[in-house]
Amino acid sequence: MAVPKRRMSRSNTRHRRARWKTSAPDLVPVTVDGVTHRVPQHLVTAYRRGLLRPEG
C-alpha cells in the first residue's frame, strides 16, 4: 500500500476527495414481455436472456 512521505493538509485532502464523482449509468430501452423498460447498458444481455426481471 502506498504511504505518503509527508502529511497532507486538510484542505488538499478535501479538495482531492471532492473530485471523485460518480455518474448515472446510461439507460437503454429493452423490451421484455412486450413492455419497454430502461435498464443500464451493461445489464441489457442479462435482461434479454431472462436472468434478471425488471421491477414495476
Side-chain angles (χ1 to χ4, degrees):
M1 186 169 103
V3 178
K5 288 189 172 185
R6 298 190 181 189
R7 180 178 172 144
M8 183 180 281
S9 70
R10 180 181 291 177
S11 173
N12 284 342
T13 300
R14 290 182 177 165
H15 180 71
R16 183 192 72 232
R17 288 179 183 163
R19 290 181 17 169
W20 290 90
K21 302 271 188 221
T22 59
S23 60
D26 295 331
L27 298 179
V28 178
V30 174
T31 303
V32 179
D33 297 331
V35 180
T36 303
H37 299 280
R38 294 176 57 90
V39 298
Q41 185 173 4
H42 68 280
L43 296 176
V44 169
T45 55
Y47 279 100
R48 286 187 179 154
R49 290 181 182 173
L51 300 174
L52 295 174
R53 286 274 155 215
E55 296 180 13

